């Protein structure tokens, strides 16, 4: 039987991906509602379930909604998700608002599905970077007990939403006209204010805003969410989140140590059968472009540690809008 389903933040980068994934997976929907800000209210969106007029979240009545997929930013989630849950919906929230709440399960589909059953109306979708690395770390943890993980992310601009993609397109256009100056110096500031420095033809050694101890909020999410999802509060996570001029697809280079040594053969065997992933050998190193638009997270460059033997280093890439956000949210809705 179809569910009365709502997408909150339906006009955004993740919201539009949610719609296409619901359509592709033939999610059973009896009525679809789409909500966004007053700026988008009244817009008509064509969907598999007919034309849907976007409603203003601020004035919409959540009664009757059974499943609500939220991706309209943390502020909106904090304010409206409890109201939707109180009205009877199961909210799957893509923001960070409830992820570390003890009453809210934090679930990566195909890694800790069992936690969905513990919800009280809200289920949190993990951060897109955490999600992509956990698809590899989860199965290894189950086999050998993850003790520590050093992870450096290469995060695409779509992690910042549609505005991130617009800024990258603009800056590549503006800075690309002066490509000789990019090598010699003397280029002109492209004048965008989404990131601290230009992202076109550049790398920013921080993603998110700075918080405690010189780490960014994205880095703390990697630490805290990894521990919560794997139900192992003692895992030592050393995060470094970097923004790169990629449209879609987050990459994470990670080195992991376990309660016991893990050989390359064992790691390959585990990762080769990990659900929702593809394992590529060094003949084809996976890139964000390979991951964009597909459901699987791709794992590559698997190798044994050399500095301190017994661990495993690897590289994972995943579509941050799909597995990193919208796909996982829909998978959680399917579990519900
Ligand atoms: P809108 O398009 O009307 O601004 P993205 O992550 O790509 O930036 O998308 C953010 C999503 O959250 C969009 O759908 C956006 O709607 C929605 N949104 C942003 N601010 C609000 C708000 N105050 N109330 C409801 N929805 C909002």
């Amino acid at each position: 039987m179809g569910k009365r389903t709502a997408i909150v933040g339906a006009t955004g980068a993740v919201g539009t991906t949610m719609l296409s994934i619901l359509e592709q997976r033939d999610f059973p929907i009896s009525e679809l509602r789409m909500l966004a800000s007053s700026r988008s209210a009244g817009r008509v969106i064509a969907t598999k379930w007919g034309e849907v007029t976007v409603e203003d979240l601020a004035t919409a009545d959540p009664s009757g909604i059974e499943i609500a997929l939220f991706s309209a930013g943390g502020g909106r989630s904090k304010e409206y998700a409890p109201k939707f849950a109180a009205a009877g919906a199961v909210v799957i929230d893509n923001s960070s608002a409830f992820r570390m709440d003890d009453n809210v399960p934090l679930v990566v589909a195909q890694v800790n599905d069992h936690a969905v059953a513990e919800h009280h109306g809200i289920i949190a979708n993990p951060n897109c970077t955490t999600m992509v690395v956990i698809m590899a770390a989860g199965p290894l943890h189950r086999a050998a007990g993850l003790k520590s993980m050093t992870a450096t992310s290469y995060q695409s601009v779509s992690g910042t939403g549609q505005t991130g993609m617009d800024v990258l397109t603009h800056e590549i256009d503006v800075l690309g006209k002066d490509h000789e100056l990019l090598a010699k110096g003397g280029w002109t500031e492209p004048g965008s204010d989404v990131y601290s420095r230009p992202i076109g033809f550049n790398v920013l050694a921080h993603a998110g805003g700075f918080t405690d101890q010189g780490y960014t909020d994205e880095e703390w999410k990697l630490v805290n969410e990894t521990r919560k999802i794997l139900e192992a509060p003692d895992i030592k996570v050393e995060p470094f989140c970097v923004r790169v001029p990629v449209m879609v697809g987050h990459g994470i280079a990670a080195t992991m140590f376990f309660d016991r040594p893990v050989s390359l053969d064992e790691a390959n065997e585990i990762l080769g059968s990990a659900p929702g992933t593809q394992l590529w050998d060094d003949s084809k190193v996976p890139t964000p472009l390979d991951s964009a638009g597909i459901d699987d997270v791709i794992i590559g460059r698997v190798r044994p540690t050399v500095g301190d033997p017994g661990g495993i280093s690897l590289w994972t890439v995943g579509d941050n809008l799909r597995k990193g956000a919208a796909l996982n949210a829909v998978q959680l809705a399917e579990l519900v």
Side-chain angles (χ1 to χ4, degrees):
M1 213 177 56
K3 295 273 179 205
R4 293 187 296 274
T5 304
I7 304 176
V8 179
T11 50
V14 173
T16 50
T17 309
M18 282 171 167
L19 172 63
S20 66
I21 289 175
L22 289 170
E23 291 180 334
Q24 282 161 13
R25 294 173 79 89
D26 231 343
F27 190 82
I29 288 179
S30 59
E31 185 199 355
L32 180 63
R33 291 174 62 183
M34 303 186 99
L35 303 95
S37 78
S38 56
R39 295 179 290 274
S40 309
R43 241 180 82 185
V44 177
I45 297 178
T47 80
K48 193 174 182 171
W49 300 277
E51 291 194 333
V52 178
T53 304
V54 176
E55 300 171 60
D56 180 358
L57 174 64
T59 53
D61 176 4
S63 316
I65 295 172
E66 292 171 285
I67 294 194
L69 305 172
F70 265 67
S71 193
R76 263 67 61 197
S77 291
K78 268 210 169 75
E79 184 172 358
Y80 295 100
K83 292 181 183 162
F84 276 56
V90 176
V91 172
I92 294 163
D93 182 34
N94 191 52
S95 82
S96 58
F98 301 101
R99 287 185 191 143
M100 297 314 296
D101 189 322
D102 286 342
N103 284 317
V104 175
L106 181 66
V107 187
V108 180
Q110 300 173 305
V111 172
N112 65 327
D113 294 2
H114 65 272
V116 161
E118 294 154 20
H119 80 80
H120 304 282
I122 302 177
I123 303 168
N125 213 30
N127 165 261
C128 41
T129 301
T130 311
M131 196 99 70
V132 171
V133 73
I134 286 286
M135 291 299 284
L140 292 169
H141 171 67
R142 205 171 311 120
L146 182 62
K147 207 162 72 179
S148 69
M149 176 169 78
T150 302
T152 303
S153 70
Y154 299 71
Q155 296 179 220
S156 70
V157 296
S158 55
T160 318
Q162 187 58 49
T163 49
M165 292 191 277
D166 294 343
V167 164
L168 179 58
T169 306
H170 168 74
E171 292 188 354
I172 284 181
D173 186 35
V174 172
L175 292 168
K177 291 198 176 90
D178 273 348
H179 62 268
E180 279 182 23
L181 301 182
L182 293 176
K184 288 193 280 193
W187 49 271
T188 316
E189 285 279 350
S192 339
D193 57 4
V194 171
Y195 299 113
S196 60
R197 308 283 295 123
I199 185 67
F201 302 99
N202 210 2
V203 165
L204 309 183
H206 67 100
F210 287 100
T211 59
D212 294 342
Q213 299 175 57
Y215 285 73
T216 69
D217 51 355
E218 286 288 299
E219 289 162 346
W220 282 115
K221 288 173 195 171
L222 202 44
V223 174
N224 296 324
E225 294 182 22
T226 297
R227 291 170 167 172
K228 180 167 174 177
I229 295 160
L230 299 182
E231 295 165 10
D234 297 329
I235 295 174
K236 295 185 179 74
V237 181
E238 198 51 57
F240 197 145
C241 290
V242 176
R243 186 78 62 190
V244 294
V246 166
M247 250 341 145
V248 170
H250 286 359
I252 298 98
T255 296
M256 304 176 202
F257 289 94
F258 305 89
D259 291 337
R260 58 172 175 80
V262 170
S263 70
L264 178 61
D265 283 348
E266 185 185 4
N268 275 326
E269 202 180 307
I270 294 165
L271 297 170
S273 58
T277 68
Q278 296 174 25
L279 178 60
W280 290 12
D281 65 27
D282 288 348
S283 64
K284 199 170 169 226
V285 176
T287 70
L289 284 178
D290 296 309
S291 76
I294 68 167
D295 288 351
D296 286 341
V297 166
I298 315 172
I299 304 168
R301 304 250 15 233
V302 182
R303 56 210 194 273
T305 52
V306 286
D308 184 6
I312 293 292
S313 286
L314 52 75
W315 165 248
T316 55
V317 283
D319 184 324
N320 50 293
L321 299 177
R322 293 180 76 90
K323 184 60 191 178
L327 171 65
N328 198 70
V330 174
Q331 287 173 320
L332 299 186
E334 289 168 349
L335 290 170
V336 169

